[in-house]
Amino acid sequence: MTITLYELTGRDAARPFSPHCWKTVMSLAHKGLEFERSPVPFTGVPEVENRFGKTVPVLRDGDRVISDSFDIALYLEEAYPDRPTLFAGEGGIALSRFVEAWTMTQIHTTIGGRLLLDIHAMLEPQDQAYFRQSREARFGKSLEEVVEAGAERVREFAAKLEPLRLMLGRQPFIGGEGPLFADYIVFGAFQWARVCSAEQLLEPDDPVAQWFGRCLDLHGGTGRSVAAAA
Ligand SMILES: N[C@@H](CCC(=O)N[C@@H](CS)C(=O)NCC(=O)O)C(=O)O
């Protein structure tokens, strides 16, 4: 049975950048599942699977269609229990919700705004128009103003990661000795930045940068299959 992942892309379908879609790519790779990637531009998202939802990732597995990266991970865990676990049990699911909330509020808010113009530059003209209009309405400012204001936040970014850094002093992954979905939640955010922008967020010897490097190497270098922005 074919598994299809509907994934956000810009002009270059070979450079997927969505943080949430990357969580699903890593979840599928973790489970060792073959899948086809179906590229979707911003303006195509509402049409996916007969208007299934408002966002991607969307996954079709046989008759099942699921959206939301966390729900997809839960589905994969239930549907493929004999493959490597993404959560290591109920406690892992609950703790991953914390990691998702922490990542959205502490990482996405810091780097997301900074990436807006880089993302805009990666899109086709009709998607650029949608992206500018929707994001400027969301932020109440021009893309240029949001990016400019993000410079200070990026300078303070490394300090925000101290809880992650302290934890990585004890264990190589958020999941412990090996990665779990929680790692892919945080990975998605850093991969978003890596694919969209050449701006250096962390010093190379930062334990968080080293953890990210280990994540890029996972599953045959799935994350490295897309080169960093130059
Ligand atoms: N909670 C969702 C968020 C998904 C999401 O925000 N996806 C973005 C792409 S990164 C999207 O589809 N945006 C459509 C739009 O902005 O119109 C998940 O984890 O999958």
Side-chain angles (χ1 to χ4, degrees):
M1 223 160 22
T2 309
I3 298 179
T4 304
L5 168 64
Y6 296 93
E7 171 180 51
L8 187 70
T9 57
R11 236 184 349 266
D12 185 350
R15 295 189 60 72
F17 54 84
S18 152
H20 305 291
C21 295
W22 271 105
K23 291 182 219 170
T24 300
V25 169
M26 296 302 277
S27 301
L28 288 160
H30 184 99
K31 286 279 179 192
L33 295 165
E34 298 285 323
F35 62 101
E36 287 176 1
R37 297 168 84 147
S38 179
V40 182
F42 267 108
T43 50
V45 170
E47 306 306 322
V48 166
E49 286 287 351
N50 298 316
R51 306 185 75 79
F52 187 78
K54 291 192 170 68
T55 60
V56 286
V58 169
L59 190 86
R60 172 174 279 282
D61 185 8
D63 295 339
R64 289 290 308 271
V65 182
I66 311 107
S67 69
D68 187 274
S69 54
F70 206 115
D71 287 347
I72 293 170
L74 291 173
Y75 164 77
L76 294 174
E77 190 74 343
E78 194 186 312
Y80 300 96
D82 299 336
R83 306 283 183 125
T85 180
L86 284 163
F87 294 103
E90 287 299 318
I93 295 174
L95 290 171
S96 299
R97 289 290 185 196
F98 167 77
V99 174
E100 183 186 49
W102 180 77
T103 304
M104 291 304 293
T105 57
Q106 305 302 309
I107 305 186
H108 281 233
T109 49
T110 303
I111 61 180
R114 188 71 180 151
L115 295 177
L116 288 174
L117 286 173
D118 299 297
I119 297 170
H120 185 264
M122 294 171 81
L123 305 178
E124 294 283 12
Q126 72 271 21
D127 294 312
Q128 286 184 331
Y130 163 77
F131 186 76
R132 180 174 283 280
Q133 183 273 324
S134 59
R135 272 43 184 186
E136 291 188 346
R138 182 184 297 174
F139 289 100
K141 290 183 189 151
S142 71
L143 296 187
E144 288 73 9
E145 286 170 326
V146 181
V147 170
E148 183 56 37
E152 187 58 33
R153 283 203 298 277
V154 165
R155 276 192 286 280
E156 293 162 359
F157 182 56
K160 278 187 146 181
L161 300 173
E162 195 56 13
L164 180 57
R165 196 171 291 116
L166 282 175
M167 192 212 62
L168 290 169
R170 294 181 177 272
Q171 59 197 59
F173 291 98
I174 300 171
E177 284 306 307
L180 291 172
F181 184 61
D183 288 88
Y184 306 142
I185 294 172
V186 185
F187 170 83
F190 281 97
Q191 180 75 327
W192 186 28
R194 174 181 172 271
V195 173
C196 294
S197 163
E199 183 169 19
Q200 187 180 317
L201 294 175
L202 299 172
E203 295 299 326
D205 62 352
D206 188 317
V208 178
Q210 290 170 358
W211 159 85
F212 181 56
R214 288 193 290 279
C215 290
L216 286 169
D217 290 336
L218 289 169
H219 317 307
T222 296
R224 283 195 202 281
S225 63
V226 178

